[in-house]
Amino acid sequence: MIFQLSENLSEYLYDVFVAKFDLWVLFGLVAQIVFAMRFVVQWIASERAGRSVIPVAFWFISLLGGGLTLVYGLVRREPIIIIGQVLAVFIYVRNLMLIYKPRKDDVT
């Protein structure tokens, strides 16, 4: 039974990561790596500040990684990725708009 499970898992992993590998899968992997880097940026900024912070770079990297992942989802016709990333990209853009919005107390 364990041998059969191991063999099935091996076949599954081969199918997912080797047999179906193409340039779009590579693009999707790069998109996920870019997206994951936002957490590294946030972690480093928080360590430097000695408290939890979200730097502006976090939102730019989120937008880039989310946008790339959205393109991947659109090309691959993956509705779950498309729905998730459309909302996420909107949120990233809105956060950047709020960050760069002139404040009333900044105007003299």
Side-chain angles (χ1 to χ4, degrees), residues 30-47:
V30 169
Q32 281 300 109
I33 290 168
V34 169
F35 192 71
M37 289 307 298
R38 70 196 189 127
F39 294 115
V40 174
V41 168
Q42 191 271 332
W43 177 34
I44 291 169
S46 293
E47 289 292 336

Side-chain angles (χ1 to χ4, degrees), residues 88-103:
V89 167
F90 171 78
I91 292 168
Y92 307 145
V93 169
R94 182 64 183 142
N95 274 298
L96 287 167
M97 289 170 64
L98 291 170
I99 289 168
Y100 289 106
K101 178 181 174 182
R103 293 182 179 90

Side-chain angles (χ1 to χ4, degrees), residues 25-84:
V25 171
L26 180 62
F27 181 90
L29 288 171
V30 169
Q32 281 300 109
I33 290 168
V34 169
F35 192 71
M37 289 307 298
R38 70 196 189 127
F39 294 115
V40 174
V41 168
Q42 191 271 332
W43 177 34
I44 291 169
S46 293
E47 289 292 336
R48 287 182 178 164
R51 61 185 173 79
S52 183
V53 296
I54 300 178
V56 175
F58 176 90
W59 299 112
F60 281 109
I61 295 170
S62 297
L63 182 58
L64 177 62
L68 291 172
T69 304
L70 177 59
V71 168
Y72 174 80
L74 290 167
V75 168
R76 297 297 258 203
R77 298 174 185 235
E78 296 282 348
I80 305 304
I81 293 174
I82 294 167
I83 291 167

